[in-house]
Amino acid sequence: MSGKPRLTYLNGRGRMEPVRWLLAAAGVEFEEIFLETRQQYEKLIKDGVLMFQQVPLVEIDGMKMVQTRAILSYIAGKYNLYGKDLKERALIDMYVEGITDLMQMILMFPFSPPEAKEKNIDSIKERATNRYFPVFEKVLKQHGQDFLVGNKFSWADVQLIEAILAVEEKIPAVLSGFPQLQAFKTRMSNMPTIKKFLQPGSPRKPPPDEIYVETVLKIFKK
């Protein structure tokens, strides 16, 4: 396949949203195919397109890529967002893995029963403010640079700004004790490619609603 990368997923955030973020941050336009029925999903499996019978699916450079982490690391490497050497790449990997752990809680939140939502919000706040955000606050304060790794914009920065905004949607004052992260948020949000992605009408998806949850369950739950 030539031309723009093509993304196949639901019309919602889920596991594809970090891919959208990374491509957008790299200034890469992409096309999207939205799954709306279980039949569409089953056809992908039948056609042998999904290696592990899972989406996201990203068609790029003649490949049909699955597994979010593999997709993201390929895009980061292709668009020079993966550090200058193995040590920087290892740092980026560690930061990304930590952020992914936090984002997993955000990802699962819409599927929690109503009676558990308040408790889950408290858990997200506790993890964000005590385990994850302090790490990045300390990194930015210690090296005094604009970016997390090598004073150069990278995949780790993209993941972090995505996570900050996602947590803020649920806990608006979550950065109140993190001045470095507040400044980081402002810097990242004003980068031209990210600023464009944050505008209405961009491919960025809204927070999951009941319709999205119902669609996920309809397509994937047997």
Side-chain angles (χ1 to χ4, degrees):
M1 188 192 79
S2 60
K4 298 176 183 177
R6 187 163 66 178
L7 284 49
T8 300
Y9 199 69
L10 288 75
N11 188 9
R13 289 185 183 176
R15 298 190 185 280
M16 186 64 91
E17 193 69 356
V19 177
R20 298 184 186 107
W21 264 93
L22 194 57
L23 285 168
V28 179
E29 293 186 356
F30 52 87
E31 299 172 351
E32 296 199 72
I33 296 172
F34 298 125
L35 298 179
E36 297 174 346
T37 66
R38 183 163 180 87
Q39 287 72 28
Q40 288 174 292
Y41 171 58
E42 288 175 342
K43 185 176 188 305
L44 290 174
I45 294 173
K46 184 179 178 183
D47 292 348
V49 175
L50 304 178
M51 184 181 289
F52 299 110
Q53 301 184 17
Q54 294 171 315
V55 288
L57 167 67
V58 174
E59 297 171 77
I60 184 171
D61 295 342
M63 297 186 292
K64 289 181 170 59
M65 294 196 71
V66 294
Q67 300 298 328
T68 309
R69 174 65 202 237
I71 294 165
L72 288 166
S73 59
Y74 181 82
I75 293 167
K78 177 178 174 69
Y79 296 107
N80 199 25
L81 296 170
Y82 210 174
K84 71 177 188 298
D85 56 30
L86 279 174
K87 287 187 176 180
E88 286 195 357
R89 184 169 293 189
L91 261 182
I92 290 169
D93 283 342
M94 285 193 287
Y95 293 156
V96 164
E97 287 292 318
I99 298 163
T100 301
D101 289 344
L102 175 61
M103 288 300 290
Q104 180 66 17
M105 299 176 73
I106 301 281
L107 196 69
M108 297 311 297
F109 178 79
F111 300 92
S112 56
E115 64 273 13
K117 288 197 183 300
E118 188 175 340
K119 181 182 176 184
N120 289 346
I121 286 280
D122 289 340
S123 294
I124 291 168
K125 182 178 179 181
E126 193 277 329
R127 289 283 182 90
T129 56
N130 293 323
R131 181 179 296 187
Y132 296 106
F133 286 174
V135 170
F136 301 108
E137 180 77 8
K138 182 178 178 182
V139 168
L140 291 166
K141 186 174 183 179
Q142 283 185 340
H143 66 35
Q145 296 169 344
D146 287 348
F147 306 108
L148 289 172
V149 179
N151 202 25
K152 186 175 183 294
F153 185 51
S154 77
W155 174 19
D157 300 304
V158 181
Q159 291 269 121
L160 182 55
I161 183 62
E162 180 192 1
I164 286 171
L165 296 179
V167 175
E168 278 189 330
E169 286 173 350
K170 295 184 168 37
I171 308 146
V174 73
L175 290 187
S176 59
F178 301 100
Q180 298 292 333
L181 288 182
Q182 291 175 34
F184 174 85
K185 174 191 163 186
T186 300
R187 284 195 303 275
M188 293 303 108
S189 298
N190 284 314
M191 288 188 66
T193 55
I194 291 180
K195 189 172 184 177
K196 182 180 178 183
F197 189 60
L198 294 175
Q199 299 303 309
S202 85
R204 185 184 182 215
K205 301 299 179 262
D209 57 14
E210 290 181 7
I211 294 172
Y212 173 76
V213 171
E214 288 171 6
T215 305
V216 170
L217 296 176
K218 177 178 71 177
I219 293 176
F220 300 121
K221 197 171 184 180
K222 290 184 178 179

